[in-house]
Amino acid sequence: MTHVGHQAAAPQRREPTAEDPRATWKDVVAAYVGLTKPRVIELLLLTTVPVMFFADRGVPPLGLVLATVVGGAFSAGSASVFNCVYDRDIDEQMRRTRRRALPRHIVSARAALVFGAVLGVLSVVVLLVWVNPLSALLAVSAEAFYVFVYTMLLKRRTTQNIVWGGLAGCFPALIGWTAVTGELAWTPVVLFAVVFFWTPPHTWALALRYREDYANVDVPMLPVVASAHAVSRQVVVYSWVMVATSLLLWPVASTGPFYPVAAVVLGAAFLVEAHRMLGRARGTEELSVISPMRLFHASNLYLSLLFFAVALDPLFS
């Protein structure tokens, strides 16, 4: 019989810091890149570029696409950096975030603030000079909303934090459209709404997986204060509204037949997964049974393919 109590404790691995000689320049560069949350940037750009193709009804000027992508990436990265600085206290305590740059002390809070500010300024310059003032204004508005409204006001105070805070992630659809046309219209507003209704199922699935983390730091995400079944019901409701909203693009933008067919197929597949999660959550709180990450990954695939269909539709019309 093994007596684990008599085993020597494994030595704790000390993480390198910016002042630690073991922190190489690669560690520091990777830390700064990590502060910008590249996966979030990737998802945001995924809703920007297809809208530009749809607005142009073809292939927009590649220089314009590049400038919009760079400016949008700088803006989203800046917002993420400020979010990391503000949330560094709770990030240190959460399994999902404790290996970020600030909890590991590879980057100081002051250095991160300067980095975030530089990215924000570069974003405005790029969008003003090479895109247009309206797109620059929308990018600044999205960043300010994410930092001041979601991060500082809503996240730690209400279960509706990501419902309304998620508005910031909807702006790329508007930015992509205005980058090409120079004005707003109902078409990007519909796509804005699709992302708005997509955000709660996407985020709540992830929050359900890490609900203990959020509970430990007193962040009232819906899965912290409601049962898994109640959360799954809300996921189903938002999913139905999201799919219905996606179909509005057909009459509003007078798309060809390719987009509505794709939207119906993708929407049906997503709704099946949402209802399956609801069924798995009935009468249990076991995450191994509920498998919320299945819906999380399905939501990423859904949004990617839906906006890919937006970009391709003019080519088939």
Side-chain angles (χ1 to χ4, degrees):
M1 182 176 179
T2 303
H3 297 282
V4 294
H6 295 294
Q7 294 179 349
Q12 293 292 318
R13 179 181 180 274
R14 188 162 62 94
E15 296 288 358
T17 65
E19 294 76 25
D20 192 328
R22 293 184 303 169
T24 66
W25 67 269
K26 290 183 179 180
D27 292 327
V28 176
V29 169
Y32 275 102
V33 171
L35 284 172
T36 65
K37 302 182 182 178
R39 289 187 178 181
V40 173
I41 293 177
E42 179 184 336
L43 194 62
L44 294 177
L45 295 181
L46 199 64
T47 59
T48 304
V49 176
V51 175
M52 295 183 71
F53 277 72
F54 189 79
D56 193 77
R57 308 301 294 182
V59 181
L62 295 183
L64 179 63
V65 174
L66 180 62
T68 307
V69 165
V70 171
F74 282 161
S75 178
S78 174
S80 292
V81 172
F82 289 134
N83 172 266
C84 286
V85 172
Y86 190 82
D87 279 348
R88 64 190 185 279
D89 59 330
I90 61 176
D91 281 350
E92 286 187 353
Q93 304 173 57
M94 296 177 64
R95 286 176 301 159
R96 188 173 67 87
T97 57
R98 63 189 176 196
R99 292 189 59 79
R100 288 177 177 171
L102 290 171
R104 294 171 62 199
H105 306 289
I106 294 182
V107 177
S108 70
R110 181 176 180 179
L113 283 173
V114 172
F115 179 52
V118 169
L119 288 177
V121 171
L122 287 175
S123 167
V124 172
V125 170
V126 169
L127 293 174
L128 271 178
V129 174
W130 287 287
V131 185
N132 59 56
L134 180 55
S135 296
L137 177 61
L138 289 169
V140 170
S141 300
E143 181 174 352
F145 193 92
Y146 183 75
V147 174
F148 295 109
V149 178
Y150 170 67
T151 300
M152 300 178 69
L153 181 63
L154 297 176
K155 183 174 180 178
R156 307 192 192 198
R157 289 181 173 86
T158 172
T159 59
Q160 297 297 300
N161 45 20
I162 57 93
V163 175
W164 300 109
L167 282 168
C170 306
F171 275 77
L174 304 181
I175 294 170
W177 182 272
T178 58
V180 173
T181 67
E183 60 185 11
L184 288 170
W186 283 111
T187 294
V189 171
V190 171
L191 293 170
F192 178 102
V194 170
V195 180
F196 176 77
F197 292 117
W198 169 88
T199 301
H202 170 77
T203 310
W204 284 335
L206 183 66
L208 190 57
R209 167 65 178 83
Y210 292 101
R211 61 183 173 185
E212 289 185 7
D213 270 359
Y214 288 109
N216 289 337
V217 294
D218 296 322
V219 173
M221 299 294 286
L222 184 63
V224 173
V225 301
S227 69
H229 191 251
V231 172
S232 299
R233 283 201 307 267
Q234 289 293 307
V235 165
V236 167
V237 170
Y238 274 93
S239 298
W240 274 99
V241 177
M242 173 192 73
V243 172
T245 303
S246 73
L247 294 175
L248 283 177
L249 190 67
W250 182 18
V252 169
S254 299
T255 71
F258 179 78
Y259 172 79
V261 170
V264 167
V265 172
L266 293 171
F270 190 86
L271 288 172
V272 166
E273 187 56 48
H275 279 276
R276 282 177 175 170
M277 191 176 86
L278 177 61
R280 294 193 299 269
R282 187 170 288 111
T284 183
E285 295 292 321
E286 289 292 330
L287 294 180
S288 60
V289 175
I290 301 168
S291 300
M293 294 303 287
R294 285 181 52 178
L295 184 77
F296 175 78
H297 294 305
S299 68
N300 285 331
L301 184 61
Y302 168 83
L303 196 70
S304 302
L305 293 178
L306 184 74
F307 274 79
F308 189 55
V310 168
L312 288 181
D313 183 79
L315 303 180
F316 291 98
S317 299

